[in-house]
Amino acid sequence: MLGTEPVAGGRTLVKAEIPELELTRYAIDLRSISHGTGSFSRSYLRYEPLPSHLKDKVTAEDKPG
């Protein structure tokens, strides 16, 4: 997380850098914890090596049955 800042309407803007792989359920989780009022946007920042804990997860998901 890079930080937060207040915005209009009593809302808070949260700025963070998160690996794409970890965003798969983010919209669902955000809606759940914000009672449907939260929203987010994302944009590409840069490529980085995949952390080892995520590499194992991706490798396990790619293996057949």
Side-chain angles (χ1 to χ4, degrees):
M1 188 161 112
L2 302 173
T4 62
E5 57 187 75
V7 292
R11 296 179 178 257
T12 301
L13 175 66
V14 177
K15 293 186 179 186
E17 293 180 6
I18 302 168
E20 181 74 23
L21 185 61
E22 295 183 5
L23 285 175
T24 54
R25 287 194 40 89
Y26 188 76
I28 295 165
D29 294 340
L30 177 64
R31 261 185 258 125
S32 176
I33 64 172
S34 68
H35 305 286
T37 62
S39 65
F40 81 103
S41 64
R42 62 183 177 184
S43 62
Y44 170 78
L45 181 62
R46 65 181 171 272
Y47 283 108
E48 287 190 9
L50 189 64
S52 60
H53 73 281
L54 293 178
K55 177 183 168 198
D56 295 340
K57 181 179 178 180
V58 169
T59 304
E61 290 176 359
D62 287 340
K63 290 182 181 177

